């Protein structure tokens, strides 16, 4: 299965108000179900005796099951006097199924024995998806919630571009056009298609031999694509939302893959996302699930076939500031190919763009904080500077100056909790608009980072093949120590994208435990070379009986990962380092291996290159964690745990995935908590 996102046009004020009421009603249902689930779960865990006597009977009595939660949803719908005007029984049932999925993860542990937390009640801003019901593939013309009607050919006929050649009459011919040719010309105000009228012959006859017919429905609509919702039992009729297809270069083969065969359409979820430029502050989409694999272009399939035929094996070393990959032929013979190495780091342009984006984000956060303080001055104290000024004015006999925005900390209780919850504060319309722009910028940055990770993974697999091994580290520990650097380079996202690309190319990204291999503490010759985190260069000193190998620490670790064997590919703890193969490769490849471990040798289309941080590990090219003014106002504090580019003497010896307590003073960031 795969999913395609179809943007919906909600331009009419009445239609937009109805969609907003639909989301409001469904959020009310979900909130009621989540509260019921919390109460039932608490009662379930409180009944120790009943649970030990017969756990199934205890759950059945409490109604702690999928069916029980669905019946609770039905009762909420029946007892309410207004929900039936907006939602249907099928929507309520599937909302209950979604809530039950979270409850089931709390009741039943996974294979590792972990349970999800106690069910929580979400907020209005977090509610962004209304789950739909899948269509029936055994009964024809049966859609119970959101339905997609129309055809891709009808959409092309209705909105074909004036410059499109007359010979292009169907979607298959449009998909064969060269990139850059415009296919669609959809107007800014996309009209909603009209419901088919008239009668349709059924092919049957009555007792007198006369042909029977029936009224036309949306299933006879073959024009532009549109999402139709029938509404609640006492609703205001059908709601029709036109679909705006993406018109980018090369998008038509993508649309042909998902939308050309209506028999594969399976389910539709109605989704909203924050968009400050859209009317009402929300943009709406239909997520269509299709019974087909995801789309891959011809160039992508060709690249993956070539990567699978490389017959190479490699290792990956994920780091806070870079990603290193080293590969060599599977046979281990120099005649079958050279040693290749790649190093992915942030370029100077990316660092500048990241610094600019962070500066804008800090400006938006400060503006949000000023707006909240200005509209809720009674919830904040005066700063030391404001208090000193009031004292000077009082000594001079002057009245205290009125403060529109107190700059001090928030009023708290004896336990340190705010006296008033943030969501109860009064916020202005400008605050809401700025918060929406801030959220949209964060989503855009995340999508850009995800796209960069996929591009980088594709380039690495094309150069090194799909059979790679990486250290099994806990990225969450890295974020506790070097959160700012990790958010810039996103090592977890890069490794995840690399694993997906390896699987798509027919290989696999294996994970090796750091405890059983200790890649960063060994040399290819088999000798253990102990290095602290501040040492970013590897040197097996001949004076101490070493082989004399010199190279980048991360590249050497990646090369050693290529010689890791796993007894069980699914268990990282079974990984062992094959020192004999590593030493043999060091002897056979000799000079080529030494050059590969010194600098990157594989060409890549993804961002790469040796920046000043890579050339000089002691230099700090990351933005400063705290400004000078913040350090002055912070007062006395202990030295925080430095990041990788700020070496600390007497650092405790541990691998990158070890949890280490943070000894520094926690930083205070201004966040919107409404």
């Amino acid at each position: 299965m795969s999913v395609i996102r179809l943007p919906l046009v909600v331009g009419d004020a009445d239609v937009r108000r109805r969609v907003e009421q639909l989301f409001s009603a469904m959020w009310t249902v979900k909130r009621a179900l989540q509260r019921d689930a919390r109460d039932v779960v608490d009662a379930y865990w409180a009944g120790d005796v009943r649970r030990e006597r017969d756990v199934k009977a205890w759950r059945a009595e409490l109604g702690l099951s999928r069916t029980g939660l669905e019946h609770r949803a039905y009762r909420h719908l029946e007892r309410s006097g207004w929900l039936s005007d907006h939602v249907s029984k099928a929507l309520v049932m599937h909302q209950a199924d979604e809530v039950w999925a979270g409850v089931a993860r709390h009741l039943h542990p996974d294979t590792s024995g972990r349970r999800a937390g106690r069910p929580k009640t979400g907020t209005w801003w977090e509610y962004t998806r209304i789950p739909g019901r899948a269509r029936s593939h055994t009964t024809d013309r049966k859609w119970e919630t959101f339905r997609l009607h129309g055809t891709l050919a009808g959409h092309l006929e209705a909105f074909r571009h004036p410059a499109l050649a007359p010979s292009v009459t169907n979607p298959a011919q449009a998909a064969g056009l060269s990139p850059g040719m415009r296919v669609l010309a959809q107007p800014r105000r996309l009209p909603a298609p009209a419901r088919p009228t008239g009668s349709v012959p059924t092919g049957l006859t009555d007792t007198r031999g006369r042909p029977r017919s029936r009224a036309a429905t949306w299933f006879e609509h073959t024009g532009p694509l549109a999402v139709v919702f029938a509404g609640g039992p006492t609703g205001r009729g059908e709601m029709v939302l036109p679909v705006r297809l993406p018109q980018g270069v090369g998008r038509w083969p993508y649309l042909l893959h998902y939308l050309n065969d209506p028999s594969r359409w399976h389910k539709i979820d109605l989704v909203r996302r924050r968009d400050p430029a859209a009317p009402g502050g929300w943009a709406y989409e239909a997520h269509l699930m299709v019974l087909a694999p995801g789309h891959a272009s011809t160039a992508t399939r060709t690249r993956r076939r070539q990567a699978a035929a490389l017959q190479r094996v490699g290792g990956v070393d994920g780091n806070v500031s870079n990603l290193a990959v080293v590969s060599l032929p599977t046979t281990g013979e120099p005649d079958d190919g050279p040693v290749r190495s790649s190093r992915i780091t942030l370029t100077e342009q990316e660092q500048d763009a990241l610094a600019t984006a962070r500066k804008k984000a800090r400006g938006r956060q400060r503006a949000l904080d000023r707006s909240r303080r200005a509209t809720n001055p009674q919830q904040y104290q005066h700063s030391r500077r404001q208090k000193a000024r009031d004292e000077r004015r009082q000594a001079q006999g002057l009245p205290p100056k009125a403060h529109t925005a107190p700059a001090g900390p928030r009023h708290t209780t004896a336990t340190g909790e705010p006296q008033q919850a943030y969501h109860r504060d009064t916020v202005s319309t400008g605050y809401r608009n700025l918060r929406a722009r801030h959220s949209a910028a964060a989503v855009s940055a995340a999508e850009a980072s995800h796209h960069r990770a996929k591009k980088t993974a594709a380039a690495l697999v094309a150069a090194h093949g799909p059979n790679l091994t990486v250290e099994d580290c806990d990225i969450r520990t890295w974020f506790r120590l070097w959160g700012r650097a990790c958010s810039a380079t996103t090592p977890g996202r890069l490794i995840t994208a690399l694993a997906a690309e390896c699987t798509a190319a027919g290989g696999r990204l294996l994970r090796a435990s750091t405890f059983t291999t200790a890649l960063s503490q060994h040399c290819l010759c088999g000798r253990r070379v102990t290095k602290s985190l501040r040492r970013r260069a590897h040197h097996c000193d001949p004076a101490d009986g070493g082989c004399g190998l010199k190279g980048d620490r991360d590249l050497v670790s990646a090369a050693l990962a290529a010689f890791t064997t796993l007894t069980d590919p699914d268990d990282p703890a079974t990984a062992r380092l094959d020192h004999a193969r590593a030493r043999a490769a060091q002897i056979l490849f000799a000079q080529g291996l030494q050059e590969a471990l010194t600098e990157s040798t594989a060409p890549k289309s993804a961002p790469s290159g040796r920046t000043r941080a890579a050339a000089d590990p002691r230099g700090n090219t990351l933005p400063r964690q705290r400004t000078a003014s913040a350090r002055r106002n912070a007062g006395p504090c202990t030295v925080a745990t430095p990041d990788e580019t700020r070496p600390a003497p007497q650092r405790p010896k541990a691998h990158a995935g070890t949890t280490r307590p943070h000894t520094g003073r926690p930083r205070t960031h201004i966040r919107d908590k409404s």
Side-chain angles (χ1 to χ4, degrees):
M1 293 186 179
S2 55
V3 177
I4 179 176
R5 297 188 300 178
L6 301 175
L8 301 177
V9 179
V10 191
D12 186 71
D14 293 336
V15 176
R16 183 171 65 253
R17 188 179 304 107
R18 186 174 177 185
V19 174
E20 292 173 352
Q21 291 174 349
L22 175 62
F23 269 92
S24 178
M26 289 303 299
W27 173 70
T28 304
V29 172
K30 183 176 182 179
R31 181 178 59 178
L33 291 174
Q34 287 176 333
R35 290 176 176 175
D36 292 347
R38 287 172 65 91
D39 296 340
V40 176
V41 166
D42 292 344
Y44 170 77
W45 291 116
D48 298 336
V49 178
R50 297 292 303 276
R51 195 170 64 250
E52 294 177 359
R53 183 185 305 168
D54 191 349
V55 63
K56 292 185 178 180
W58 181 228
R59 289 178 182 172
E61 182 178 345
L62 293 175
L64 195 56
S65 63
R66 182 189 299 272
T67 304
L69 208 58
E70 290 177 356
H71 287 301
R72 288 178 180 270
Y74 297 154
R75 287 196 295 269
H76 285 302
L77 178 63
E78 294 169 356
R79 293 175 181 178
S80 173
W82 60 277
L83 280 178
S84 58
D85 296 338
H86 307 285
V87 302
S88 62
K89 194 173 183 179
L91 279 181
V92 170
M93 181 189 69
H94 283 281
Q95 188 64 76
D97 294 344
E98 187 181 59
V99 174
W100 167 252
V103 177
R105 287 193 296 268
H106 171 69
L107 295 176
H108 309 291
D110 56 10
T111 55
S112 62
R114 297 181 178 178
R115 300 176 185 265
R118 180 169 171 255
K120 298 181 179 179
T121 303
T123 64
W124 162 254
W125 306 103
E126 297 172 350
Y127 187 72
T128 58
R129 186 175 70 91
I130 301 178
R133 186 168 189 176
R135 66 179 297 182
S136 174
H137 295 276
T138 57
T139 304
D140 193 21
R141 300 169 178 259
K142 186 175 181 181
W143 287 80
E144 297 203 24
T145 51
F146 306 108
R147 310 189 300 262
L148 179 63
H149 294 292
T151 60
L152 190 60
H155 206 95
L156 174 62
E157 182 180 357
F159 305 111
R160 63 182 294 128
H161 197 274
L164 190 62
S167 59
V168 180
T169 58
N170 56 63
Q173 294 176 347
L177 297 175
S178 59
M181 296 293 295
R182 297 183 177 181
V183 179
L184 296 178
Q186 301 170 102
R188 182 178 181 182
R189 296 182 178 273
L190 202 62
R195 179 190 175 94
T197 57
S199 60
V200 179
T202 61
L204 303 176
T205 58
D206 57 7
T207 56
R208 297 183 180 181
R210 294 176 299 184
R212 290 184 176 181
S213 62
R214 58 175 177 81
T217 62
W218 277 106
F219 291 98
E220 278 71 44
H221 175 66
T222 58
L225 294 170
V227 173
V228 179
F229 174 60
T234 60
R236 293 172 292 177
E238 296 174 331
M239 181 172 59
V240 183
L241 303 176
V243 174
R244 182 182 299 276
L245 295 181
Q247 302 179 181
V249 175
R251 301 297 292 176
W252 197 257
Y254 174 80
L255 299 175
L256 183 70
H257 174 79
Y258 286 102
L259 302 177
N260 195 42
D261 187 4
S263 63
R264 300 191 300 181
W265 299 348
H266 185 60
K267 191 184 80 163
I268 291 179
D269 294 342
L270 190 61
V271 180
R272 64 174 185 170
R273 57 179 177 83
R274 296 295 301 272
D275 186 1
W282 294 94
Y284 298 93
E285 298 174 346
H287 289 193
L288 173 65
M289 182 180 294
V290 181
L291 299 178
H295 174 262
S297 63
T298 304
T300 300
R301 292 193 296 268
T302 302
R303 185 191 71 244
R304 289 172 177 172
R305 284 196 301 267
Q306 294 174 353
L310 286 179
Q311 299 298 325
R312 298 181 68 85
V313 61
V316 182
D317 181 75
N319 206 338
V320 175
S321 58
N322 61 75
L323 187 75
V325 184
V326 176
S327 66
L328 65 158
T330 306
T331 59
E333 297 294 334
D335 296 338
D336 296 333
V339 179
R340 295 176 181 173
S341 63
S342 301
R343 186 185 178 93
I344 304 299
T345 59
L346 290 178
T347 61
E348 295 182 359
Q349 293 80 6
E350 289 176 331
Q351 290 183 5
D352 295 340
L354 181 63
T356 302
R358 284 176 171 173
K359 183 178 180 180
K360 291 182 179 179
R362 288 195 301 269
R364 290 192 296 266
Q365 288 283 12
R366 288 194 294 266
L368 288 172
D369 184 65
R370 289 194 300 267
S371 177
R372 182 181 288 273
R373 290 173 180 270
T375 53
N376 302 273
Q378 69 280 1
Q379 300 299 329
Y380 293 91
Q381 305 175 21
H382 291 171
S383 64
R384 290 180 296 179
R385 183 174 298 178
Q386 291 174 338
K387 292 179 180 178
R389 182 173 57 183
D390 292 342
E391 292 175 358
R392 290 195 303 268
R393 293 179 64 89
Q394 183 179 4
Q396 297 173 3
L398 299 176
K401 188 176 181 62
H403 301 288
T404 58
R410 194 176 177 94
H411 290 292
T412 58
T413 61
T415 58
E417 297 293 332
Q419 290 184 354
Q420 177 175 291
Y422 282 89
H423 69 273
R424 299 186 181 277
D425 288 352
T426 302
V427 294
S428 62
T429 303
Y431 179 92
R432 297 184 185 276
N433 295 335
L434 180 59
R435 182 176 57 185
R437 292 197 299 270
H438 187 59
S439 176
V443 172
S444 177
E447 291 180 353
S449 178
H450 180 67
H451 178 71
R452 175 185 178 272
K454 292 179 61 177
K455 232 180 131 179
T456 302
L460 289 176
V461 172
H464 300 277
N467 301 310
L468 303 173
T469 304
V470 66
E471 288 183 314
D472 185 32
C473 296
D474 191 354
I475 307 298
R476 295 173 298 180
T477 306
W478 298 3
F479 272 89
R480 295 190 191 104
L481 300 176
W482 310 291
R484 189 178 182 86
C486 288
S487 63
T489 56
T490 61
R493 184 169 292 173
L494 286 173
I495 294 176
T496 302
L498 191 60
E501 185 65 23
C502 288
T503 303
R508 185 176 179 182
L509 180 67
L510 300 177
R511 295 181 178 271
S513 174
T514 58
F515 294 99
T516 59
T517 57
L519 301 180
S520 60
Q521 307 299 324
H522 283 89
C523 181
L524 291 174
C525 64
R527 180 172 173 270
R528 190 176 185 91
V529 182
T530 304
K531 298 183 290 290
S532 61
L533 282 178
R534 66 179 300 176
R535 289 184 54 189
R536 307 313 303 169
H538 173 86
H539 182 208
C540 191
D541 194 356
D544 298 334
C547 62
L549 179 65
K550 293 183 179 180
D552 183 83
R553 172 197 177 113
D554 303 327
L555 292 176
V556 172
S557 298
L560 286 171
F563 302 104
T564 302
T565 59
L566 285 86
T567 306
D568 183 3
D570 297 326
D571 187 5
T574 61
R576 295 297 182 271
L577 186 58
D578 193 342
H579 295 284
R581 288 176 51 213
R583 180 57 177 167
Q586 184 183 14
I587 296 174
L588 292 175
F589 289 94
Q591 185 64 26
L593 182 62
Q594 176 66 60
E595 294 177 356
L597 298 182
T598 305
E599 60 181 353
S600 177
T601 59
K604 303 176 293 299
S605 59
S608 62
R610 296 181 62 82
T611 60
R612 185 167 64 88
D616 184 10
R618 294 172 297 178
N620 182 16
T621 59
L622 297 176
R624 290 182 298 175
Q625 298 284 342
R626 308 174 73 179
T627 60
S629 60
R631 287 194 296 269
R632 287 195 302 268
N633 295 332
C637 64
T638 58
V639 179
T641 303
D643 56 21
E644 185 181 273
T645 59
R646 297 178 181 177
Q650 300 178 356
R651 191 183 187 94
K653 177 182 176 182
H655 75 294
T658 301
T659 302
R660 186 183 296 109
H662 194 286
T663 58
R665 181 176 179 178
R667 301 184 179 93
T668 301
H669 299 279
I670 300 175
R671 291 188 176 91
D672 177 24
K673 301 181 180 179
S674 62

